Every structure is written in C-alpha cells, then in structure tokens.
Amino acid sequence: MSRYLVDKFLYRTLRNPAARQEYSADPVGYVSNWESTVGASLNEAERLTTLSFTDEERKSLSDVDFGRIFAGGAHPFLLWTLMVVIEMQRDSDMLARSPKYLEFGRKYAEGVRVFGRPDIST
Amino acid sequence: MSSVVLVLGVPHNPFHYPLTRGPAETWDADTQRMVKRGEEMRDRLRQAQPDALVVVGNDHFNQFFMDNMPAFLMGKMSAYDAIFQTETAEFGMPPCVIPGDKALSQSLLGALLERGVDMAFSDEFKLDHSFVVPLQFVRPELDLPVVPINTNNNAPPLPPASRFVEVGRQLRAAIDALDDDRRIAVIVSGHLAADVGGHHHFADHSLDPEWEETVIGALRDGDLEAAAQHASFERMLQIGYTTHQFLPFLVGAGVAGVPAVHAEVMNRRANSVAWLVWEPQYEAEQ
C-alpha cells in the first residue's frame, strides 16, 4: 500500500494541464509511464527507488475508478478536484455550479458513499 | 508600539466568485446575504484603518504537498502571485498580484521563532483562493500589504486545535512587541462543517448544525479551550474531511484573546459559513 504515491499521482496530475489531458486520453499508458518517471523522481536530478503502487492501486488509477481510489484512502480533496477538472476539461459547458457540475458532484458522492471514511493518513 | 486593530473571520468559498459574476439582481438569496455581510466586514476593516494585514489561510494542495508539508508557514515576499491554474479552470478566478511587506514578515518570523513557534517560511509562496476570497470580501482593492500564514489542516497528522490557538497568542505577542508603530488587522478564513470529496460532498444543507453552533458559540463566549476541545481531529473527521478547515479561526481567536463581538453561523442551501469579528483594542480599553 502506498497512499502517499496515489496522492502524489493525483497531485502531480491535477497540477499539470498537459498531464491531465494525457491521463484522460490514455489512462493505462499514462499511469504506467507516470509510475516510472514522475512517481520515481524526487526532483530533476534525484531518483526514488522505494515507492511503487500496489496492483490494486495501479488498476483503480488505470480504470479512473474514483470509488476504488477513494476506498484505498486517497485524499478526498485531491481526488474530487482531479476528477471534476478532468470532466470540465472534456466539456466546456460544465462551469462551476452549473447543473452538469452539480450532477457530477452528486454522482461522485454516491460513488464514494459506500466506502465510508477510509483512513487517509500517509 | 504596534497594535492589532481588528480581527475578522470570513469564509473562502471559491464558488462566491462564479456566483457573483452576473448582475446583482440575478444573484440567489444566499449569495446576496454573503455579499451584504462581506460589505459590512469591509466597512469595519476600513474604519479600523489598518496599514497592513496578516492573512491566515490554508493552501489546498496547490503548492504544499506531503513531500514537505509545513504545519505553519509564513510568506516573506514583497509581492505575492495568487490563484493557481486549476482554480481558474474550476472556478473561473483570474490570477492577481497582492502586495507584501517583507520587513514585517521578517520581524514577525524572528519574534515567533524566539517565542518557541517554529514557523516555516517561504520566499516563493503563491497564494490560493483561501487568501484571495477573504481579501475580496474585506479589501477588494488589494492595496494593503499582507503577511500570509499558511496552516496545514488538510494533510494528517495536523497540529492539535490548541496549537492553532497558541500560534495566534504568540502572533499577537509578536505584533505587540514590534518596534515601529503599525496598525495591523488579522484576517483568518476557514469553513464550518464541510466534506469536499467525501460522501456528503455538495450537500444542500448543513452537515452538523449543532457542532457549528457549539464551536462558534464558544468563540462568542471567548472560551477557547471549549472551542479547541470540540475541534479535535477525530470529531471533525466524523462530520467531513474538510471540516478541519475550521482551525484557522482558532488562530484569530488566539490573536484576539477576547470574546468575539460578532460570531455568526450563516445557514445556506449549501454548507454553512462563519462570520466573526473580534475587537481586541476595544476590549483592552474597557
């Protein structure tokens, strides 16, 4: 289990518009490439060798399955924000508080509700 | 001798920006109440005639992350870029630049470190909506220099609630001990019961009105121990993941050291918001 690495994935993907496009277009390829590049990098020069996803984490991220990512203890704020910004990137009508935005919020809440309040500590 | 002329506690709901883009007559009733209360807070701040603002907010993983997460961090820049690209993408908020007071940051940092508050600092601190939305309520001119303080209330382990009060007390002592004659207002911002990203995400009602009245009532009474006791990590987690963003209000309470003269839970069709006013000098004169 590496909740930290899942959060790093959500954080680094969320904060980079090009990365969000890549994740949205090809989740499986993006996740695989991310783990060995951005995920394994401390900075431009230093590599990290001790962090990796579990099979379950890799699969839930590759499936963009927000319920299972949530269930694993991903930080809910990061998870929601990445999911909604990706949706908004796909659909330019989906402005903040618009009906589509609120509908996606309800769908998200229903999707994570069954998983209660997982431990989010890293 | 410097003084804290006013302490205000205001919301930082980023939706306030898109909700107020259209003409005023198109705003819903909740938005109109928010704008009205914001204008009242703005008048109070103007009347207090501050020459600098200390603003306490919480970066929402825009800049700070668990690779290097400070519990409390002060910016010490002469100007601050504000609003991240994801905030523009999600809320439509435009970037802006807010003036800073580097010398004041340096003085306060030095004093806080001397007083046992191991405040981290940054010379490269970009401010997110938790700093900008409060300023848009109380000082939309964005003309006063700010000293921003980021508090970690998102990534556990968090400092306990009592530590937020104590940082506020020490910040007050640091301001009071400044050599020069400054009039400083402190703006703190946070949430009440909220669950962004959790299973009560976007609820159309308060998640826990009783808790909200308890903690805001404690600030009204000036009972900071009670406020902190009801703001434990576990208690707030029961309500929702982002309820911990209540904690910056405790910094304001610690700075003021007196009961709030205005302590309000504003109920809305979404999560409730808090509006708080402390007048430390008025109390000191009594």
Coordinates of all heavy atoms in Angstrom, one line a residue, chain B residues 214-286:
Chain B
T214 N -22.0 25.0 18.5 CA -21.2 24.8 19.7 C -19.8 25.5 19.5 O -19.4 26.3 20.4 CB -20.9 23.3 19.9 OG1 -22.2 22.7 20.1 CG2 -20.0 23.1 21.1
V215 N -19.2 25.3 18.4 CA -17.8 25.9 18.3 C -17.9 27.5 18.1 O -17.1 28.2 18.6 CB -17.0 25.3 17.1 CG1 -16.6 23.9 17.5 CG2 -17.7 25.3 15.8
I216 N -18.9 27.9 17.3 CA -19.0 29.4 17.1 C -19.5 30.0 18.4 O -19.0 31.1 18.8 CB -19.9 29.7 15.9 CG1 -19.3 29.2 14.6 CG2 -20.2 31.2 15.8 CD1 -17.9 29.8 14.3
G217 N -20.3 29.3 19.1 CA -20.8 29.8 20.4 C -19.6 29.9 21.4 O -19.5 30.9 22.2
A218 N -18.7 29.0 21.3 CA -17.5 29.1 22.2 C -16.7 30.3 21.9 O -16.1 30.9 22.8 CB -16.7 27.8 22.1
L219 N -16.6 30.6 20.6 CA -15.8 31.8 20.2 C -16.5 33.1 20.7 O -15.9 34.1 21.0 CB -15.5 31.8 18.7 CG -14.7 30.6 18.2 CD1 -14.5 30.7 16.7 CD2 -13.4 30.5 18.9
R220 N -17.8 33.0 20.6 CA -18.7 34.2 21.1 C -18.4 34.4 22.6 O -18.4 35.5 23.1 CB -20.1 33.9 20.8 CG -21.1 35.0 21.0 CD -22.5 34.6 20.7 NE -22.7 34.1 19.3 CZ -23.2 33.0 19.0 NH1 -23.6 32.1 19.9 NH2 -23.4 32.7 17.7
D221 N -18.3 33.3 23.3 CA -18.1 33.3 24.8 C -16.6 33.6 25.1 O -16.3 33.8 26.3 CB -18.5 32.0 25.4 CG -20.0 31.7 25.2 OD1 -20.7 32.7 25.0 OD2 -20.4 30.6 25.4
G222 N -15.7 33.5 24.1 CA -14.3 33.6 24.4 C -13.7 32.4 25.2 O -12.7 32.5 25.8
D223 N -14.4 31.3 25.0 CA -14.0 30.0 25.7 C -13.2 29.2 24.7 O -13.7 28.3 24.0 CB -15.2 29.3 26.2 CG -14.8 28.1 27.1 OD1 -13.6 27.7 27.1 OD2 -15.7 27.5 27.7
L224 N -11.9 29.6 24.6 CA -11.0 29.0 23.6 C -10.7 27.5 23.9 O -10.5 26.7 23.0 CB -9.7 29.8 23.4 CG -9.9 31.2 23.1 CD1 -8.7 31.9 22.5 CD2 -11.1 31.5 22.1
E225 N -10.7 27.2 25.2 CA -10.5 25.7 25.5 C -11.6 24.9 25.0 O -11.4 23.8 24.5 CB -10.3 25.6 27.0 CG -8.9 25.9 27.5 CD -8.8 25.6 29.0 OE1 -9.6 24.8 29.5 OE2 -7.8 26.1 29.5
A226 N -12.9 25.4 25.2 CA -14.0 24.6 24.7 C -14.0 24.5 23.2 O -14.3 23.5 22.6 CB -15.3 25.3 25.2
A227 N -13.7 25.7 22.5 CA -13.6 25.7 21.1 C -12.6 24.6 20.6 O -12.9 23.8 19.6 CB -13.3 27.0 20.5
A228 N -11.5 24.6 21.2 CA -10.4 23.6 20.8 C -10.8 22.2 21.1 O -10.6 21.3 20.3 CB -9.1 24.0 21.4
Q229 N -11.5 22.0 22.2 CA -11.9 20.7 22.6 C -12.9 20.1 21.6 O -12.8 18.9 21.3 CB -12.5 20.8 24.0 CG -12.8 19.4 24.6 CD -13.8 19.6 25.8 OE1 -13.7 20.6 26.5 NE2 -14.6 18.6 26.1
H230 N -13.8 20.9 21.1 CA -14.8 20.4 20.1 C -14.2 20.3 18.7 O -14.9 20.0 17.8 CB -16.0 21.3 20.1 CG -16.8 21.1 21.4 ND1 -17.6 20.0 21.6 CD2 -16.9 21.9 22.5 CE1 -18.2 20.2 22.7 NE2 -17.8 21.3 23.3
A231 N -12.9 20.8 18.5 CA -12.3 20.8 17.2 C -11.2 19.8 17.1 O -10.2 20.0 16.5 CB -11.8 22.2 16.9
S232 N -11.4 18.6 17.8 CA -10.3 17.6 17.7 C -10.4 17.0 16.3 O -11.4 17.1 15.6 CB -10.6 16.5 18.7 OG -11.8 15.8 18.3
F233 N -9.3 16.4 15.9 CA -9.2 15.8 14.5 C -10.3 14.8 14.3 O -11.0 14.8 13.3 CB -7.8 15.1 14.3 CG -7.7 14.5 13.0 CD1 -7.4 15.2 11.9 CD2 -7.9 13.1 12.8 CE1 -7.3 14.7 10.6 CE2 -7.8 12.5 11.5 CZ -7.5 13.3 10.4
E234 N -10.5 13.9 15.3 CA -11.5 12.8 15.2 C -12.9 13.3 15.1 O -13.7 12.8 14.3 CB -11.3 11.8 16.4 CG -10.0 11.1 16.4 CD -8.8 11.9 16.8 OE1 -9.0 13.0 17.4 OE2 -7.7 11.5 16.5
R235 N -13.2 14.3 16.0 CA -14.6 14.9 16.0 C -14.9 15.5 14.6 O -16.0 15.3 14.1 CB -14.7 15.9 17.1 CG -16.1 16.6 17.1 CD -17.2 15.6 17.6 NE -18.5 16.2 17.5 CZ -19.3 16.0 16.4 NH1 -18.9 15.3 15.4 NH2 -20.5 16.6 16.4
M236 N -14.0 16.2 14.1 CA -14.3 16.9 12.8 C -14.3 15.9 11.6 O -15.0 16.0 10.7 CB -13.3 18.0 12.5 CG -13.5 19.2 13.6 SD -12.6 20.7 13.1 CE -10.9 20.2 13.6
L237 N -13.5 14.8 11.8 CA -13.5 13.8 10.7 C -14.8 13.1 10.6 O -15.3 12.7 9.6 CB -12.4 12.7 11.0 CG -12.2 11.7 9.9 CD1 -11.8 12.3 8.6 CD2 -11.1 10.7 10.4
Q238 N -15.5 12.9 11.8 CA -16.9 12.4 11.8 C -17.8 13.2 10.9 O -18.7 12.6 10.3 CB -17.5 12.3 13.2 CG -16.8 11.3 14.1 CD -17.3 11.5 15.6 OE1 -18.0 12.5 15.9 NE2 -17.0 10.5 16.4
I239 N -17.6 14.5 10.9 CA -18.5 15.4 10.1 C -18.1 15.3 8.6 O -19.0 15.2 7.7 CB -18.4 16.8 10.6 CG1 -18.8 16.8 12.1 CG2 -19.4 17.7 9.8 CD1 -18.5 18.1 12.8
G240 N -16.8 15.5 8.3 CA -16.4 15.5 6.9 C -14.9 15.9 6.8 O -14.4 16.6 7.7
Y241 N -14.3 15.5 5.7 CA -12.9 15.7 5.6 C -12.4 17.1 5.6 O -11.3 17.4 6.1 CB -12.4 15.0 4.3 CG -12.4 13.5 4.4 CD1 -13.3 12.8 3.6 CD2 -11.5 12.8 5.1 CE1 -13.3 11.4 3.6 CE2 -11.5 11.4 5.2 CZ -12.4 10.7 4.4 OH -12.4 9.3 4.4
T242 N -13.2 18.0 5.1 CA -12.7 19.4 5.0 C -13.2 20.3 6.2 O -13.0 21.5 6.2 CB -13.1 20.1 3.7 OG1 -14.4 19.6 3.3 CG2 -12.1 19.8 2.6
T243 N -13.9 19.6 7.2 CA -14.3 20.4 8.3 C -13.1 20.9 9.1 O -13.2 21.9 9.8 CB -15.2 19.5 9.2 OG1 -16.2 18.9 8.4 CG2 -15.8 20.2 10.4
H244 N -12.0 20.3 8.9 CA -10.7 20.7 9.6 C -10.3 22.1 9.2 O -9.5 22.7 9.9 CB -9.6 19.7 9.4 CG -10.0 18.3 9.8 ND1 -10.6 17.4 9.0 CD2 -9.9 17.7 11.0 CE1 -10.8 16.3 9.6 NE2 -10.4 16.4 10.9
Q245 N -10.9 22.6 8.1 CA -10.6 24.0 7.7 C -11.2 25.0 8.7 O -11.1 26.2 8.5 CB -10.9 24.2 6.3 CG -10.0 23.4 5.3 CD -10.3 23.7 3.9 OE1 -10.6 24.8 3.5 NE2 -10.1 22.7 3.0
F246 N -11.9 24.5 9.7 CA -12.3 25.4 10.8 C -11.1 26.0 11.6 O -11.2 27.1 12.2 CB -13.2 24.6 11.8 CG -13.5 25.3 13.0 CD1 -14.4 26.4 13.1 CD2 -12.9 25.0 14.2 CE1 -14.7 27.1 14.3 CE2 -13.1 25.6 15.4 CZ -14.0 26.7 15.4
L247 N -10.0 25.2 11.6 CA -8.9 25.5 12.5 C -8.3 26.9 12.4 O -7.9 27.5 13.4 CB -7.8 24.4 12.4 CG -8.3 23.1 12.9 CD1 -7.3 21.9 12.5 CD2 -8.4 23.1 14.5
P248 N -8.2 27.5 11.2 CA -7.6 28.9 11.1 C -8.4 29.9 12.0 O -7.8 30.8 12.5 CB -7.7 29.2 9.6 CG -7.6 27.9 8.9 CD -8.4 26.9 9.8
F249 N -9.7 29.7 12.2 CA -10.5 30.6 13.0 C -9.9 30.6 14.4 O -10.0 31.7 15.1 CB -11.9 30.2 13.1 CG -12.7 30.4 11.8 CD1 -13.6 29.4 11.3 CD2 -12.6 31.6 11.1 CE1 -14.3 29.6 10.2 CE2 -13.3 31.8 9.9 CZ -14.2 30.8 9.4
L250 N -9.3 29.5 14.9 CA -8.7 29.5 16.2 C -7.5 30.3 16.3 O -7.1 30.8 17.4 CB -8.5 28.0 16.6 CG -9.7 27.1 16.8 CD1 -9.3 25.7 17.2 CD2 -10.7 27.7 17.7
V251 N -6.8 30.5 15.2 CA -5.6 31.4 15.2 C -6.1 32.8 15.5 O -5.6 33.6 16.3 CB -4.8 31.3 13.9 CG1 -3.7 32.4 13.9 CG2 -4.3 29.9 13.6
G252 N -7.2 33.2 14.8 CA -7.8 34.5 15.1 C -8.2 34.7 16.5 O -8.0 35.8 17.1
A253 N -8.9 33.7 17.0 CA -9.3 33.8 18.4 C -8.2 33.9 19.4 O -8.2 34.7 20.4 CB -10.1 32.5 18.8
G254 N -7.1 33.2 19.1 CA -5.9 33.3 19.9 C -5.2 34.7 19.8 O -4.8 35.3 20.8
V255 N -5.2 35.3 18.6 CA -4.7 36.7 18.5 C -5.5 37.6 19.3 O -5.0 38.5 20.0 CB -4.7 37.1 17.0 CG1 -4.5 38.6 16.8 CG2 -3.7 36.3 16.1
A256 N -6.9 37.5 19.2 CA -7.8 38.4 19.8 C -7.7 38.3 21.4 O -7.6 39.3 22.1 CB -9.2 38.3 19.3
G257 N -7.8 37.1 21.8 CA -7.8 36.8 23.3 C -9.0 37.3 24.0 O -9.0 37.5 25.3
V258 N -10.0 37.7 23.3 CA -11.3 38.2 23.9 C -12.5 37.5 23.2 O -12.3 37.0 22.1 CB -11.4 39.7 23.7 CG1 -10.3 40.4 24.6 CG2 -11.3 40.1 22.3
P259 N -13.7 37.6 23.8 CA -14.8 37.1 23.1 C -15.1 37.8 21.8 O -14.8 39.0 21.7 CB -16.0 37.3 24.1 CG -15.3 37.5 25.4 CD -14.0 38.1 25.1
A260 N -15.6 37.1 20.8 CA -15.9 37.7 19.5 C -17.1 38.6 19.7 O -18.1 38.2 20.4 CB -16.2 36.7 18.5
V261 N -17.1 39.8 19.2 CA -18.3 40.7 19.3 C -19.3 40.4 18.3 O -20.5 40.7 18.4 CB -17.9 42.2 19.1 CG1 -17.0 42.7 20.3 CG2 -17.2 42.5 17.8
H262 N -18.9 39.6 17.2 CA -19.9 39.1 16.3 C -19.5 37.7 15.9 O -18.3 37.5 15.5 CB -19.9 40.0 15.0 CG -20.9 39.5 14.0 ND1 -22.2 39.9 13.9 CD2 -20.7 38.6 12.9 CE1 -22.8 39.3 12.9 NE2 -21.9 38.5 12.3
A263 N -20.3 36.7 16.2 CA -20.0 35.3 15.9 C -21.2 34.6 15.3 O -22.1 34.3 16.0 CB -19.5 34.6 17.1
E264 N -21.2 34.4 14.0 CA -22.4 34.1 13.3 C -22.2 32.8 12.5 O -21.2 32.6 11.7 CB -22.8 35.2 12.4 CG -23.9 34.9 11.4 CD -24.1 36.0 10.4 OE1 -23.3 36.9 10.3 OE2 -25.2 36.0 9.7
V265 N -23.2 31.9 12.6 CA -23.3 30.8 11.6 C -24.3 31.2 10.6 O -25.5 31.4 11.0 CB -23.7 29.5 12.3 CG1 -23.9 28.4 11.3 CG2 -22.7 29.0 13.4
M266 N -23.9 31.4 9.4 CA -24.9 31.7 8.3 C -25.3 30.5 7.6 O -24.5 29.9 6.9 CB -24.2 32.8 7.3 CG -25.2 33.2 6.2 SD -24.4 34.4 5.1 CE -24.7 35.9 5.9
N267 N -26.5 30.1 7.8 CA -27.0 28.9 7.1 C -27.4 29.2 5.7 O -28.0 30.2 5.4 CB -28.2 28.3 7.9 CG -27.8 27.7 9.2 OD1 -26.9 26.8 9.3 ND2 -28.3 28.2 10.3
R268 N -27.1 28.3 4.8 CA -27.4 28.5 3.4 C -27.9 27.1 2.8 O -28.0 26.1 3.5 CB -26.1 28.9 2.6 CG -25.4 30.0 3.3 CD -24.1 30.4 2.5 NE -23.3 29.2 2.2 CZ -22.5 29.1 1.2 NH1 -22.4 30.1 0.4 NH2 -21.7 28.0 1.0
R269 N -28.3 27.2 1.5 CA -28.7 25.9 0.9 C -27.5 25.0 0.7 O -27.7 23.8 0.3 CB -29.5 26.2 -0.4 CG -30.9 26.6 -0.2 CD -31.8 26.4 -1.4 NE -31.9 25.0 -1.8 CZ -31.5 24.5 -3.0 NH1 -31.0 25.3 -3.9 NH2 -31.7 23.3 -3.2
A270 N -26.3 25.4 0.8 CA -25.2 24.6 0.8 C -24.6 24.5 2.2 O -25.3 24.7 3.2 CB -24.2 25.1 -0.2
N271 N -23.3 24.3 2.4 CA -22.7 24.2 3.7 C -22.8 25.6 4.4 O -22.8 26.7 3.7 CB -21.2 23.8 3.6 CG -20.4 24.7 2.7 OD1 -20.8 25.1 1.6 ND2 -19.3 25.1 3.2
S272 N -22.9 25.7 5.7 CA -23.0 26.9 6.4 C -21.6 27.6 6.4 O -20.6 27.0 6.2 CB -23.4 26.7 7.9 OG -24.6 26.0 7.9
V273 N -21.6 28.9 6.6 CA -20.4 29.7 6.7 C -20.3 30.5 8.0 O -21.4 30.8 8.5 CB -20.1 30.6 5.5 CG1 -20.0 29.8 4.2 CG2 -21.2 31.6 5.3
A274 N -19.1 30.8 8.4 CA -19.0 31.6 9.6 C -18.5 33.0 9.3 O -17.7 33.2 8.4 CB -17.9 30.9 10.5
W275 N -19.0 34.0 10.1 CA -18.5 35.3 10.1 C -18.2 35.7 11.5 O -19.0 35.6 12.4 CB -19.6 36.3 9.5 CG -20.1 36.0 8.1 CD1 -21.1 35.2 7.8 CD2 -19.5 36.4 6.9 NE1 -21.2 35.1 6.4 CE2 -20.2 35.9 5.8 CE3 -18.4 37.3 6.6 CZ2 -19.9 36.2 4.5 CZ3 -18.1 37.5 5.3 CH2 -18.9 37.0 4.2
L276 N -17.0 36.2 11.7 CA -16.5 36.5 13.1 C -15.8 37.9 13.1 O -15.1 38.3 12.2 CB -15.5 35.4 13.5 CG -16.1 34.0 13.7 CD1 -15.0 33.0 13.3 CD2 -16.6 33.8 15.1
V277 N -16.1 38.6 14.2 CA -15.4 39.9 14.4 C -14.9 39.9 15.9 O -15.6 39.6 16.8 CB -16.3 41.1 14.2 CG1 -15.6 42.4 14.5 CG2 -17.0 41.0 12.9
W278 N -13.6 40.2 16.0 CA -13.0 40.5 17.3 C -12.5 41.9 17.4 O -11.8 42.3 16.4 CB -11.9 39.5 17.6 CG -12.2 38.1 17.8 CD1 -12.5 37.5 19.0 CD2 -12.2 37.0 16.8 NE1 -12.7 36.1 18.8 CE2 -12.5 35.8 17.5 CE3 -11.9 37.0 15.5 CZ2 -12.6 34.6 16.8 CZ3 -12.0 35.8 14.8 CH2 -12.3 34.6 15.5
E279 N -12.7 42.6 18.4 CA -12.1 44.0 18.6 C -11.2 44.0 19.8 O -11.6 44.4 20.9 CB -13.3 45.0 18.8 CG -14.2 45.0 17.5 CD -15.3 46.0 17.6 OE1 -15.8 46.3 18.8 OE2 -15.8 46.4 16.6
P280 N -10.0 43.6 19.6 CA -9.1 43.4 20.8 C -8.8 44.8 21.5 O -8.7 44.8 22.7 CB -7.8 42.8 20.2 CG -7.9 42.9 18.7 CD -9.4 43.1 18.4
Q281 N -8.7 45.9 20.7 CA -8.4 47.2 21.4 C -9.6 47.7 22.2 O -9.4 48.2 23.3 CB -8.0 48.2 20.3 CG -6.7 47.8 19.6 CD -5.6 47.4 20.6 OE1 -5.3 48.1 21.5 NE2 -5.0 46.3 20.4
Y282 N -10.8 47.5 21.6 CA -12.0 47.9 22.4 C -12.1 47.3 23.7 O -12.3 47.9 24.7 CB -13.2 47.6 21.5 CG -14.5 47.9 22.2 CD1 -15.0 49.2 22.3 CD2 -15.2 46.9 22.9 CE1 -16.2 49.5 22.9 CE2 -16.4 47.2 23.6 CZ -16.9 48.5 23.6 OH -18.0 48.8 24.3
E283 N -11.8 45.9 23.7 CA -11.9 45.2 25.0 C -10.8 45.7 25.9 O -11.0 45.8 27.1 CB -11.7 43.7 24.7 CG -12.8 43.1 23.9 CD -14.1 42.9 24.6 OE1 -14.1 42.9 25.9 OE2 -15.2 42.8 24.0
A284 N -9.6 45.9 25.4 CA -8.4 46.4 26.2 C -8.7 47.7 26.9 O -8.2 47.9 28.0 CB -7.2 46.5 25.3
E285 N -9.5 48.5 26.2 CA -9.8 49.8 26.8 C -10.8 49.8 27.9 O -11.0 50.8 28.6 CB -10.3 50.8 25.7 CG -9.2 51.2 24.7 CD -9.7 51.7 23.4 OE1 -10.9 52.0 23.3 OE2 -8.9 51.8 22.5
Q286 N -11.6 48.7 28.0 CA -12.7 48.7 29.0 C -12.2 48.5 30.4 O -11.2 47.9 30.6 CB -13.6 47.5 28.7 CG -14.3 47.7 27.3 CD -15.0 49.0 27.1 OE1 -15.9 49.3 27.8 NE2 -14.5 49.8 26.2

